[in-house]
Amino acid sequence: MKSVYLDHNSTTPVAPEVLETMLPYFSSEYGNASSIHSFGQRARAAVEKARESVAALIGARPAEMVFTSGGTESDNLAIFGIVGADSRQQKHIITTQIEHHAVLNACQALERQDVAVTYLPVSRAGVVDPEDVRRALRAETALITVMHANNELGTVQPIEEIGRIAAEADVYFHTDAVQSAGKLPVAVERIGADLLSLSGHKLRAPKGVGALYVRKGTRLRPLFYGGHHERDRRPGTENVAGIVGLGRAAQLAAANLTADAARIAALRDRFERAMVDRVPHARVNGEGAPRTPNTSNITYPFVEGEALVIALDLKGVACSTGAACSAGAIEPSHVLTAIGLPPDEARASLRFSLGHDTTAAEVEAAIEIVPGAVERLRELSPLYQKTAG
Ligand code: PLP
């Protein structure tokens, strides 16, 4: 059987149209976008056209888009950039416990430089309360950074309300929209975001390219020093092919958004119903909260998630756990522990994430495979035999 890829939140295949648009920029169109000659001019024109497409996806002005190497760099540029440009002695950041490590570890690094950070809790469904954001504000708060959609649960955070709170308090607001762009409408004005992160490889562009929206007038210290690229926000010769790919992917995402969202949400719902019906004790995490249409996080009690991922891979289904390997030990996902799952249940949870190419037949194939794989692992679990078997 052909493999069923249900790990699109991890990365997506490059769209054929994206690849085709990129190819000339590896061969005949190899100019440096900063060169004056015609090779350079054509590269520059391609970069600027891509900037327009990426800006259009999020309702921004092209001049407000900074191309980066991906979501991680965009998050770091936003966080270090805002804090670094703030001349106050005492500084404070508000974020949540369920951010991606690109945000969490950047905040932790700033804590070591005496920046105070508030990590807000989330509800059992995986959503932060905007009132908690309001209550956490201090006179020295320099930045609020709250993600749009969570990568593990798909839960959508109330960022428009948070944007309003930030605006009222005159505090910069950054949102990591890496997992929402292309899946949900993203509009910087509605959100009230001053900074917004995007990553190419989550929306059918290649790995290693991304963008940061920076609202006009925002004070931002660059991460790197070099030439005057990207309006002095991000020096370095532009990744022309990657940027062109991101631009094309943004166009496709905008064109497909509504149809994809409806089709994929129906497949996701079918998958979740089947899991709950066919696998004893299976539970959907983040249920009841607004979620991205493609993400399903399911706890299969009495199963070791890593073992289940491997068992499913052997059967041709690719999915993931939210666990991180730290110092040789498997740490349960910080997101699942933040929603209150005990470590054993967090370790027993898998994420299935669908994409533009996912077919109904693939979802049916996964539905046939997963229950048996869970059952076989449970048969080996003495705990299951005793408590639930
Ligand atoms: N932010 C979120 C929410 C993500 O899911 C990811 C990738 O998993 C990133 C940031 C990092 O993006 P990149 O892989 O482009 O560095």
Side-chain angles (χ1 to χ4, degrees), residues 9-10 70-72 75 100 102 147 149 151 176 178-179 199 201-202:
N9 283 12
S10 173
T72 300
D75 286 343
H100 189 269
M147 70 198 326
N151 42 304
D176 175 336
V178 165
Q179 291 290 350
S199 169
H201 73 107
K202 312 289 183 176

Side-chain angles (χ1 to χ4, degrees), residues 83-244:
V83 171
D86 190 319
S87 56
R88 289 174 292 180
Q89 196 85 54
Q90 306 269 312
K91 283 173 267 193
H92 172 236
I93 299 175
I94 300 171
T95 188
T96 77
Q97 293 173 358
I98 61 165
E99 300 299 309
H100 189 269
H101 282 116
V103 168
L104 286 180
N105 290 347
C107 288
Q108 277 168 25
L110 282 168
E111 278 186 290
R112 291 191 287 275
Q113 296 171 27
D114 290 332
V115 174
V117 182
T118 302
Y119 300 92
L120 294 173
V122 293
S123 68
R124 179 84 203 183
V127 181
V128 70
D129 181 350
E131 285 312 309
D132 283 347
V133 175
R134 193 192 299 279
R135 278 189 285 270
L137 282 167
R138 302 182 193 169
E140 64 271 22
T141 305
L143 177 70
I144 298 170
T145 172
V146 175
M147 70 198 326
H148 190 187
N150 182 264
N151 42 304
E152 291 188 40
L153 298 167
T155 52
V156 178
Q157 305 305 311
I159 54 170
E160 291 177 18
E161 281 170 78
I162 296 170
R164 276 195 293 276
I165 291 167
E168 276 166 34
D170 200 18
V171 171
Y172 282 127
F173 176 41
H174 166 246
T175 189
D176 175 336
V178 165
Q179 291 290 350
S180 58
K183 298 174 190 151
L184 303 172
V186 175
V188 287
E189 284 309 323
R190 275 195 64 179
I191 296 168
D194 300 298
L195 306 112
L196 181 145
S197 300
L198 298 174
S199 169
H201 73 107
K202 312 289 183 176
L203 50 107
R204 307 171 73 219
K207 296 159 189 68
V209 65
L212 179 68
Y213 159 77
V214 184
R215 183 187 294 277
K216 189 166 182 271
T218 302
R219 280 173 287 116
L220 194 78
R221 180 192 279 183
L223 285 180
F224 311 138
Y225 294 88
H228 295 292
H229 311 81
E230 298 296 296
R231 294 185 161 73
D232 286 333
R233 301 251 198 234
R234 204 281 189 175
T237 301
E238 293 89 343
N239 169 9
V240 177
I243 290 169
V244 164

Side-chain angles (χ1 to χ4, degrees), residues 251-270:
Q251 287 176 348
L252 293 174
N256 294 331
L257 191 106
T258 313
D260 268 2
R263 191 185 70 83
I264 292 171
L267 292 180
R268 189 268 318 264
D269 291 347
R270 155 91 186 119

